[in-house]
Amino acid sequence: MMDTKRKKELLEAYKNRHPEMGVISYRCKETGEVFLGISKDTKSDFNSINMKLAANWHPNKRLQELWNKYGSEGFELSVIKVLKYDDPREDHTAKLESLREQCIAADPNARRIWR
């Protein structure tokens, strides 16, 4: 068993970690369609979305359709904007949504991953 002191240290370290936050992009190489999402932890969100797509269980029907047709090789995954922030415990949702809207406005092929 892990002692209480060690558990507290690990929890504190987790709360204070600085995961990469930003706007993530799934671009279909074949059609040029771009799906943008906000992310508070880009690595974990890419994993989560990829799992849903692989399981044919993603709520965005168009993204799922393209994924089923072209597979993961048919997509370019990237973080197109990174949010600079100091406090990982602060809520950065509004700033992230604003960044995503800027990206959508700049790209006529872009739309939201999540409705």
Side-chain angles (χ1 to χ4, degrees), residues 29-71:
K29 295 174 189 172
E30 193 65 34
T31 67
E33 290 170 75
V34 179
F35 300 86
L36 303 178
I38 64 171
S39 174
K40 293 179 181 178
D41 184 341
T42 58
K43 277 188 189 67
S44 105
D45 284 340
F46 276 128
N47 284 341
S48 166
I49 293 168
N50 291 351
M51 294 270 293
K52 286 182 175 113
L53 288 165
N56 197 19
W57 205 60
H58 197 278
N60 186 315
K61 297 291 174 244
R62 180 63 183 153
L63 175 57
Q64 185 69 64
E65 200 178 290
L66 293 167
W67 189 272
N68 292 348
K69 187 171 183 179
Y70 302 111

Side-chain angles (χ1 to χ4, degrees), residues 47-107:
N47 284 341
S48 166
I49 293 168
N50 291 351
M51 294 270 293
K52 286 182 175 113
L53 288 165
N56 197 19
W57 205 60
H58 197 278
N60 186 315
K61 297 291 174 244
R62 180 63 183 153
L63 175 57
Q64 185 69 64
E65 200 178 290
L66 293 167
W67 189 272
N68 292 348
K69 187 171 183 179
Y70 302 111
S72 60
E73 318 71 47
F75 281 83
E76 207 172 78
L77 278 52
S78 58
V79 179
I80 55 174
K81 288 265 192 223
V82 174
L83 179 71
K84 302 275 184 260
Y85 65 96
D86 295 319
D87 187 355
R89 286 175 280 212
E90 218 176 276
D91 184 9
H92 300 286
T93 308
K95 286 183 203 147
L96 288 165
E97 285 174 347
S98 164
L99 276 180
R100 181 190 56 205
E101 294 315 307
Q102 289 168 24
C103 295
I104 287 175
D107 184 345

Side-chain angles (χ1 to χ4, degrees), residues 4-44:
T4 315
K5 184 172 180 263
R6 180 74 182 128
K7 222 180 233 177
K8 273 187 182 148
E9 286 168 4
L10 289 172
L11 188 61
E12 201 53 37
Y14 178 78
K15 282 183 189 166
N16 290 316
R17 71 193 177 90
H18 264 69
E20 182 181 63
M21 290 189 198
V23 178
I24 59 174
S25 166
Y26 279 70
R27 190 180 74 77
C28 179
K29 295 174 189 172
E30 193 65 34
T31 67
E33 290 170 75
V34 179
F35 300 86
L36 303 178
I38 64 171
S39 174
K40 293 179 181 178
D41 184 341
T42 58
K43 277 188 189 67
S44 105

